[in-house]
Amino acid sequence: QVQVVESGGGLVQSGGSLRLSCEVSGRGFSINAMGWYRQAPGKERELVARITSGGNTDYADFVSGRFTISRANAKNTAYLQMNSLKLEDSAVYYCHAGVRRIVNVEGAYVDRDYWGKGTLVTVSP
């Protein structure tokens, strides 16, 4: 069973920084892309940043160079360093992991998406 667990959220003042972590645990899988999404009250979930297994990254326009996504493949962990936080960054941040399992000796595989339960980020004035 694959589990995705986020950590690192909390209360921070505007202009401050937080570092979120996302650990994927389980056995018998590899991880394709990982990503961070967020959802504020009354709004839809939106992409913040994502990173491929090879380290290619993609950011939402609102990040504007303030956030950095990274990953430690050996630890099945992704990080989101958030700097210069704004009030509008307040949201629940969710980690997504695209997981691949090999299902037979011929190399057939199944890809599946896993989500964590989220970690709350609150930015205060």
Side-chain angles (χ1 to χ4, degrees):
Q1 182 70 12
V2 175
Q3 288 190 317
V4 179
V5 178
E6 304 97 335
S7 61
L11 176 64
V12 63
Q13 285 189 320
S14 179
S17 298
L18 280 176
R19 188 190 194 212
L20 306 183
S21 298
C22 168
E23 182 176 2
V24 183
S25 62
R27 299 178 64 184
F29 63 90
S30 60
I31 304 174
N32 299 323
M34 297 183 72
W36 288 96
Y37 291 73
R38 72 184 188 184
Q39 187 167 19
K43 296 188 176 181
E44 294 186 352
R45 189 174 298 190
E46 60 182 353
L47 173 69
V48 178
R50 56 190 167 202
I51 184 168
T52 67
S53 58
N56 293 316
T57 58
D58 184 27
Y59 295 92
D61 289 342
F62 61 76
V63 168
S64 300
R66 300 179 297 127
F67 299 175
T68 302
I69 189 171
S70 60
R71 63 190 283 176
N73 290 333
K75 297 181 180 180
N76 289 339
T77 300
Y79 307 95
L80 185 68
Q81 177 66 43
M82 304 188 293
N83 300 325
S84 303
L85 283 162
K86 305 175 181 180
L87 297 177
E88 53 264 40
D89 293 319
S90 296
V92 178
Y93 283 70
Y94 296 92
C95 179
H96 164 267
V99 169
R100 172 165 293 181
R101 289 186 183 276
I102 304 299
V103 296
N104 63 28
V105 295
E106 284 79 27
Y109 60 86
V110 173
D111 288 340
R112 183 175 173 183
D113 295 325
Y114 288 87
W115 293 87
K117 294 182 179 180
T119 185
L120 178 63
V121 172
T122 303
V123 183
S124 65

